[in-house]
Amino acid sequence: MKTCKLNAIKLLFCISLIVGCNNENTSEKNETKHAASTTSLPIYIKDIPSNHPLSSAMKRSFNNYEAPRLLDNELYTNFKYTELEGFNYNNGDGTVSRRDPSKIIKENGQYYIWYTHRNTQTEPRGFKNATDVVPSTDWDLAEIWYATSKDGFTWKEQGVAIPRPPKPNPGWRSVATADILKFKNKYYLYYQAFDAPSGTYDKKRDAYDICPVTMSWADSPDGPWHPLNTVVIPFGNENEWDYRVIHDPNPLVHDGKIYIYYKSGLDKRDANRKFWDAWGLAIADKPEGPFVKHKLNPVMNSGHETMLFPFKEGVAAIVNTDGIEHYTIQYAKDWVNFEIASVTQLLPTAAGVYAPDAFDDDHDGDGITWGLSHFINAGDNWNKMYTKLGRFDCDLSQKVNDPSLKKSNILLPNKLYFSQGLTKEQRSRIVNREQIQTKN
Ligand code: AAL
């Protein structure tokens, strides 16, 4: 109801802007426009005259977002976080990690989630110190495990879904960062398959963290999983934007086809970290491919680990860190051309969302209200690097209306701000500059 009213206001407003523009050359209308411009903007949105002159910011409010007020914006939310029950992290000694959760699906009356699971003799020690049993990074020497839950808060770890296959099959070193697809009553896990410790520098590609994306399928979410053992999303050619890496496959179903969004990026992926993370789209008729890359790729210009779900007739994306449009929620009505729908804060990281209609392909996505996020540096100790899973709740659903989740003034503890302190070098640069200025 509320949305209809707002859409009506938006429509009226757009029409009025168009009408206003078309009439710009007639002197009669110019007089009206002039008359309107001497009046302040009315206090009620409904009272704004069709030809009232607007600043760029106000035009943007009506034209660029779902709704001008956060409270009415179905694609705005803040996020609440809850610790999970049921996962053991070996007292946070860095030897056990769970990260990069998949989407969550509900089958047989319970929720299922898959994730990167590492249980190694030591914490990650960098690729120079990696051995057959010592991991380089948090996602090295990992397997894909799964867990189930009745309520989404307490989870029961069920064990391995996709083990590391024997050498030389893709992923013999590590399998990580899986996402789930349900298609025609079969289940498909797409994931990254490493044949070297992640972090190893690949001279040919001038990049770290190289691995192909492959897939395993099963008749049941409990497995057994059958590996395809081939690359499903091919790397781009040299000089193409997605030549260096293909990461974070995220499958959905649209118009009877499999849509996989994946991360790659422009520029060198070396230690200077000057690369530009961006997202591509690859489409196939069948889960095993062949996947054809969209000619407008990349379709998103930001996001390290982007979370996607069907929304209305289009697809929405939670764009977390990295890139010019980080911390935004975006929407692509045509599943290709993304626009910013809102800007928000404290977003989940690399989360797996529970989108009940993720694979329904009914052009009427409701949205999401929860999922599991990962939290890197879980023990606040980079020398014992591990990641844990936690739950987030939000209101990005058309059916749910929780005004408390539409607030933007989230109070964070002061110590969080002061934990973002200056380095010694920054402090002395600032002090030196002050001293020079005082002398002058
Ligand atoms: C994640 C993802 C991919 C990367 C690594 C593990 O956040 O982007 O999965 O390879 O980091």
Side-chain angles (χ1 to χ4, degrees):
M1 193 60 191
K2 184 185 64 192
T3 317
C4 290
K5 202 167 144 198
L6 263 152
N7 284 341
I9 295 170
K10 272 173 85 173
L11 186 69
L12 201 74
F13 205 83
C14 291
I15 293 169
S16 66
L17 282 180
I18 295 163
V19 171
C21 288
N22 287 344
N23 289 331
E24 244 164 33
N25 293 331
T26 68
S27 58
E28 195 186 326
K29 291 292 169 183
N30 271 345
E31 275 165 33
T32 323
K33 197 172 165 193
H34 180 71
S37 68
T38 57
T39 328
S40 295
L41 191 77
I43 194 162
Y44 291 110
I45 299 172
K46 66 178 174 46
D47 295 338
I48 300 175
S50 58
N51 58 350
H52 196 98
L54 290 180
S55 65
S56 299
M58 289 304 286
K59 276 187 205 158
R60 234 178 15 248
S61 307
F62 287 102
N63 298 338
N64 291 30
Y65 300 97
E66 254 268 311
R69 294 187 308 180
L70 289 185
L71 195 63
D72 309 312
N73 189 330
E74 296 282 15
L75 282 177
Y76 173 76
T77 188
N78 56 61
F79 298 91
K80 306 263 186 205
Y81 292 92
T82 311
E83 299 267 9
L84 300 178
E85 303 290 330
F87 292 120
N88 182 311
Y89 291 93
N90 225 9
N91 294 320
D93 66 359
T95 60
V96 175
S97 194
R98 294 180 185 83
R99 54 177 296 143
D100 290 297
S102 70
K103 278 189 280 296
I104 296 158
I105 60 169
K106 193 168 190 184
E107 298 288 315
N108 316 317
Q110 52 185 356
Y111 298 109
Y112 281 76
I113 193 156
W114 291 261
Y115 45 86
T116 305
H117 178 267
R118 178 176 60 77
N119 186 352
T120 44
Q121 287 179 10
T122 70
E123 73 288 343
R125 292 191 174 164
F127 87 97
K128 283 188 187 144
N129 303 314
T131 69
D132 285 352
V133 290
V134 174
S136 59
T137 59
D138 195 23
W139 55 95
D140 184 29
L141 292 176
E143 299 177 317
I144 293 161
W145 281 40
Y146 78 115
T148 56
S149 172
K150 292 273 183 210
D151 61 6
F153 291 93
T154 301
W155 291 82
K156 185 171 180 346
E157 191 153 69
Q158 298 290 352
V160 69
I162 302 191
R164 290 191 280 142
K167 211 170 176 175
N169 288 311
W172 61 266
R173 174 73 198 189
S174 193
V175 286
T177 320
D179 202 3
I180 187 79
L181 164 74
K182 185 179 179 187
F183 190 71
K184 298 189 178 161
N185 287 323
K186 283 194 172 12
Y187 302 83
Y188 302 86
L189 280 170
Y190 295 86
Y191 52 95
Q192 301 178 187
F194 288 90
D195 293 344
S198 55
T200 307
Y201 184 64
D202 182 304
K203 264 196 181 157
K204 179 173 164 251
R205 292 184 191 272
D206 209 352
Y208 296 94
D209 219 24
I210 311 296
C211 57
V213 166
T214 186
M215 181 266 274
S216 288
W217 66 271
D219 287 315
S220 149
D222 292 299
W225 294 89
H226 310 287
L228 205 62
N229 280 332
T230 57
V231 179
V232 284
I233 306 176
F235 288 90
N237 294 322
E238 209 172 342
N239 291 329
E240 288 181 338
W241 78 281
D242 58 354
Y243 169 66
R244 298 203 200 282
V245 297
I246 306 262
H247 284 166
D248 301 272
N250 193 325
L252 292 168
V253 178
H254 178 53
D255 281 346
K257 295 178 192 291
I258 320 300
Y259 274 47
I260 294 192
Y261 296 88
Y262 63 93
K263 182 181 72 190
S264 187
L266 294 83
D267 226 316
K268 276 194 184 180
R269 219 169 181 86
D270 60 10
N272 294 325
R273 298 185 64 85
K274 278 193 177 163
F275 55 84
W276 174 359
D277 275 349
W279 284 70
L281 167 62
I283 301 173
D285 292 329
K286 292 180 291 184
E288 63 274 26
F291 279 89
V292 177
K293 294 179 183 176
H294 199 280
K295 60 181 187 311
L296 289 183
N297 277 351
V299 295
M300 274 185 278
N301 64 11
S302 300
H304 188 77
E305 299 121 333
T306 297
M307 301 134 255
L308 294 118
F309 53 91
F311 188 78
K312 297 184 177 169
E313 65 265 62
V315 64
I318 302 175
V319 178
N320 192 345
T321 55
D322 293 357
I324 198 163
E325 293 178 354
H326 64 275
Y327 297 173
T328 61
I329 298 176
Q330 308 200 4
Y331 180 60
K333 194 173 172 181
D334 63 358
W335 292 67
V336 173
N337 289 288
F338 285 84
E339 301 286 350
I340 295 175
S342 74
V343 178
T344 183
Q345 67 276 295
L346 273 186
L347 292 82
T349 306
V353 300
Y354 177 54
D357 51 16
F359 312 120
D360 287 1
D361 195 15
D362 59 5
H363 292 226
D364 187 23
D366 175 55
I368 62 160
T369 58
W370 69 282
L372 297 195
S373 170
H374 82 196
F375 296 81
I376 59 170
N377 195 21
D380 287 329
N381 180 351
W382 288 108
N383 295 325
K384 299 263 178 234
M385 163 54 148
Y386 76 102
T387 301
K388 70 176 189 184
L389 301 178
R391 173 175 167 126
F392 74 88
D393 283 83
C394 63
D395 178 3
L396 292 171
S397 152
Q398 296 179 77
K399 286 185 194 145
V400 171
N401 181 24
D402 185 342
S404 74
L405 288 168
K406 300 288 178 185
K407 291 196 318 190
S408 64
N409 55 340
I410 309 298
L411 283 182
L412 300 172
N414 284 359
K415 74 174 187 216
L416 184 81
Y417 290 86
F418 293 115
S419 73
Q420 299 300 306
L422 292 167
T423 61
K424 270 191 192 151
E425 292 74 25
Q426 287 167 329
R427 177 91 181 225
S428 73
R429 168 171 54 75
I430 293 162
V431 169
N432 287 342
R433 201 179 54 204
E434 289 297 338
Q435 283 169 350
I436 291 165
Q437 279 170 359
T438 315
K439 272 188 205 152
N440 294 338

